[in-house]
Amino acid sequence: MKFVRFGESGKEKPGVVDDQGKIRDLSGLVTDITGDALGGKLSESLKHVDISTLPLAPEGARLGPCIAQVGNFIAVGLNYADHATETNAQIPKEPILFNKARSCIVGPYDDVVLPPNSTKSDWEVEIAFVISKRASYVSEDEALDHVGGYFICNDVSEREYQLEREGQWVKGKCCPTFGPIGPWVVTPDEVGNPQDLSLWLEVNGERLQNSTTRNMIFPIRTLVSYISQYMILEPGDIVTTGTPPGVGLGMVPLRFLKRGDTMKLGVEKLGIQEQRVI
């Protein structure tokens, strides 16, 4: 199933996408779309509900971030070998982990705001997932049992802040609006194999990223298991898994986002995002 949150920022309601692609209001059945709700078998309980009888969301309603009550926002760096190569970085022997701030999360069609004095803001299409069951020291064999759903993340990054300032990558990863997620979170049964999905990104209609999750160095089951060796993953934690080649940092000459640009990006089975840069 595809779960969504709609409405003005801070007042989103939970919804589900019906067979005709229309959004149905779930607020009479569930408080919100959270990791706990997904772990509570929300989709199983809805199998006994005629979704077509639920109220429709208002036409043209804004789509908010697809997950509410996010805990940790964990990201994986350089998880595609050809992306590492294009940015002159070593191919990692273990997953590179960093954090994005929860405060950077926005909806899939919200504007992306360039930080003051930014000159090197960049795009990154990624597949992300939400934890729905507590994970601590889990094996790869059981890792995917802890995933409640998958969605798109645009890991927007300010490269000067990330790479040219002292300290860790988080400086370039946490600016407000730098974490669009959605449009919806898709349950694992509908996604199938998360390591066999195409993903792409366009800037102003030009396709710059075009790859497949088959090319990830560390697949999602490995990431869940690996991260759980260093921290407890709780329901509501989200993980974005790295980007393929085609980012502005890897281009010759370098190319970065500017006011008025439009980013459009998609992951197979997970929908499409679009953001205007302001």
Side-chain angles (χ1 to χ4, degrees):
M1 303 187 82
K2 296 182 178 73
F3 295 108
V4 66
R5 301 175 67 248
F6 64 93
E8 62 182 277
S9 180
K11 297 180 180 180
E12 293 93 346
K13 293 182 177 182
V16 63
V17 181
D18 68 17
D19 291 340
Q20 280 68 51
K22 296 183 181 295
I23 297 172
R24 299 284 177 169
D25 188 341
L26 284 177
S27 57
L29 300 174
V30 63
T31 303
D32 215 334
I33 306 302
T34 65
D36 277 325
L38 292 165
K41 306 301 181 185
L42 174 59
S43 56
E44 286 292 324
S45 65
L46 289 179
K47 287 182 177 178
H48 306 291
V49 175
D50 184 354
I51 293 205
S52 66
T53 65
L54 297 176
L56 286 166
E59 192 72 28
R62 168 187 173 268
L63 297 188
C66 58
I67 300 294
Q69 300 176 27
V70 172
N72 281 317
F73 190 173
I74 301 162
V76 181
L78 303 176
N79 199 21
Y80 291 73
D82 38 9
H83 170 58
T85 300
E86 73 170 346
T87 58
N88 297 312
Q90 290 187 340
I91 296 173
K93 297 178 181 177
E94 295 186 35
I96 296 173
L97 305 180
F98 59 93
N99 276 91
K100 289 176 75 76
R102 290 182 299 174
S103 57
C104 80
I105 295 173
V106 291
Y109 304 108
D110 290 343
D111 293 337
V112 166
V113 182
L114 296 179
N117 304 314
S118 167
T119 58
K120 297 181 179 179
S121 289
D122 206 347
W123 53 85
E124 294 191 9
V125 61
E126 305 191 2
I127 181 173
F129 61 88
V130 60
I131 295 294
S132 58
K133 185 172 71 171
R134 194 173 192 263
S136 180
Y137 301 109
V138 300
S139 68
E140 290 196 22
D141 287 343
E142 61 184 351
L144 295 186
D145 295 338
H146 298 262
V147 174
Y150 301 92
F151 52 92
I152 303 169
C153 175
N154 188 355
D155 178 20
V156 185
S157 308
E158 214 299 342
R159 302 301 190 186
E160 180 189 356
Y161 299 178
Q162 176 189 356
L163 301 172
E164 299 175 36
R165 304 290 178 94
E166 296 294 331
Q168 300 180 346
W169 286 2
V170 293
K171 289 181 181 178
K173 297 287 189 172
C174 296
C175 299
T177 74
F178 272 25
I181 62 172
W184 36 69
V185 55
V186 186
T187 52
D189 59 307
E190 188 163 326
V191 172
N193 180 8
Q195 302 307 146
D196 191 22
L197 303 175
S198 60
L199 67 170
W200 54 271
L201 180 143
E202 298 173 351
V203 177
N204 301 330
E206 180 184 0
R207 185 153 298 195
L208 301 177
Q209 293 187 276
N210 197 22
S211 189
T212 169
T213 57
R214 291 192 300 273
N215 293 335
M216 289 168 64
I217 300 171
F218 306 106
I220 289 170
R221 66 172 63 248
T222 299
L223 295 176
V224 174
S225 176
Y226 182 86
I227 296 169
S228 79
Q229 311 305 309
Y230 297 95
M231 66 185 80
I232 296 172
L233 290 168
E234 298 281 7
D237 288 349
I238 63 176
V239 180
T240 189
T241 63
T243 199
V247 300
L249 181 65
M251 294 185 173
V252 180
L254 298 177
R255 175 177 172 181
F256 298 111
L257 294 168
K258 60 186 184 301
R259 182 184 303 173
D261 284 347
T262 297
M263 294 178 284
K264 189 173 184 179
L265 54 152
V267 178
E268 185 180 356
K269 298 185 179 181
L270 304 185
I272 292 173
Q273 294 187 0
E274 186 168 338
Q275 298 103 28
R276 180 175 57 123
V277 179
I278 64 171

